[in-house]
Amino acid sequence: MANVIIVLILVVAVVYGIYNYVHHLNHGGGCCGEHDAPARKVKAADTNKSHYLHRLVMGVDGMTCQNCQRHVENALNAMTDTLAEADLSAQKVTVWTKADADEDAIRQAIRDAGYLPLHTTEKE
């Protein structure tokens, strides 16, 4: 009987460990809240890049996971006439705008999302 109880405890521990591992893979962890569901992606009203006349590439400090990347994109895509794509590995965001880009507003949106906007590397 003691062996059955020990086996059941081990099975429960293994199942719990597998569940936590899969949950961590699906929902991220650490910086953006290990138990939080991923942020829903905010899509820009117009996703056709050819409709945007201006492009700005800006460094962003503090993005450490895909959830962080999504937070930065969401903050910028929520702005009017703006389309954004963040690059986690390069620690930068590319922002397309229909009117001349308001760098101050873009920087503030990144700050409001919880990240640090860095230098602008390209502006067209």
Side-chain angles (χ1 to χ4, degrees):
M1 184 65 176
N3 288 340
V4 172
I5 293 173
I6 291 172
V7 169
L8 286 175
I9 291 172
L10 288 174
V11 168
V12 168
V14 168
V15 169
Y16 181 74
I18 291 171
Y19 169 79
N20 279 336
Y21 178 72
V22 170
H23 182 76
H24 179 75
L25 289 177
N26 290 333
H27 297 292
C31 65
C32 295
E34 186 171 346
H35 301 290
D36 296 340
R40 296 185 66 96
K41 186 169 180 88
V42 173
K43 292 193 176 195
D46 182 4
T47 58
N48 186 340
K49 292 176 188 170
S50 67
H51 295 165
Y52 294 89
L53 302 174
H54 305 278
R55 185 173 71 95
L56 174 78
V57 180
M58 182 180 293
V60 178
D61 189 30
M63 291 191 303
T64 57
C65 68
Q66 289 180 342
N67 234 5
C68 296
Q69 176 181 342
R70 192 172 304 115
H71 285 294
V72 170
E73 289 176 351
N74 285 351
L76 297 169
N77 285 335
M79 296 173 67
T80 305
D81 293 336
T82 303
L83 174 64
E85 287 181 1
D87 183 347
L88 181 60
S89 62
Q91 293 287 295
K92 66 181 182 179
V93 64
T94 303
V95 183
W96 291 270
T97 59
K98 292 184 178 181
D100 194 22
D102 181 358
E103 281 192 58
D104 292 333
I106 291 170
R107 288 179 185 280
Q108 190 58 50
I110 293 171
R111 274 190 213 95
D112 290 347
Y115 304 92
L116 181 64
L118 300 175
H119 57 280
T120 302
T121 57
E122 296 176 42
K123 186 172 182 181
E124 295 176 2

